[in-house]
Amino acid sequence: MEGFYGVIELIILAVTLLVSVYFSYRSTRIQQKILTIKSAEEFSKDINNKRRELEKTLGFSIKSGTIIDANLLLSIEEDPNKRLALIDFLNLYESMSRGINLDAYDEEIFKIARASVTVRTYFAFEDFIIQYRRKYNRGTAWIEYEKLAKKWR
């Protein structure tokens, strides 16, 4: 009979351990979602501020469907202030993308909040990104942002 009780105790211990692991995992996921919501709110504020700075520096408004033509790309390349403003702007998207791609943030929360503007912005500046990588031998510049934009496209 003692062997039977030992097996029962072992089963109860295993079930208790599994339940504990499950609730610990669930708690961690909830904390991650809360962190992601806070991060998404902060990111939205930061990106809106950087977008306004960029618009002021470039002298035009970046709206849905903005076309970045060869003349604008040339003016960005020739003017260090414009280039740095755009780099700062794209770096915010890179930071967000890295957090999502590395599972530090819950992707679905950011996707709901930012997918369309994230994708549109990447493709609006894709030519600049490609030229920058070639010119400055920075093949991985904004690579996480590129991966995410193409995934969400």
Side-chain angles (χ1 to χ4, degrees), residues 66-123:
T66 296
I67 303 297
I68 308 301
D69 63 13
N71 291 332
L72 179 59
L73 281 175
L74 184 60
S75 83
I76 291 170
E77 187 54 41
E78 290 176 347
D79 184 334
N81 291 328
K82 290 179 181 179
R83 189 172 59 252
L84 289 174
L86 180 53
I87 288 169
D88 283 348
F89 181 70
L90 293 173
N91 283 346
L92 280 176
Y93 278 105
E94 176 71 5
S95 178
M96 174 199 75
S97 301
R98 189 177 306 115
I100 292 168
N101 293 342
L102 295 174
D103 290 328
Y105 299 134
D106 185 286
E107 181 176 351
E108 286 306 308
I109 291 172
F110 267 100
K111 192 173 184 179
I112 290 166
R114 306 263 347 147
S116 62
V117 71
T118 297
V119 170
R120 279 194 319 265
T121 301
Y122 174 80
F123 286 102

Side-chain angles (χ1 to χ4, degrees), residues 1-15:
M1 222 29 165
E2 267 185 45
F4 176 73
Y5 289 120
V7 170
I8 296 296
E9 285 177 354
L10 188 58
I11 291 171
I12 290 171
L13 181 62
V15 168

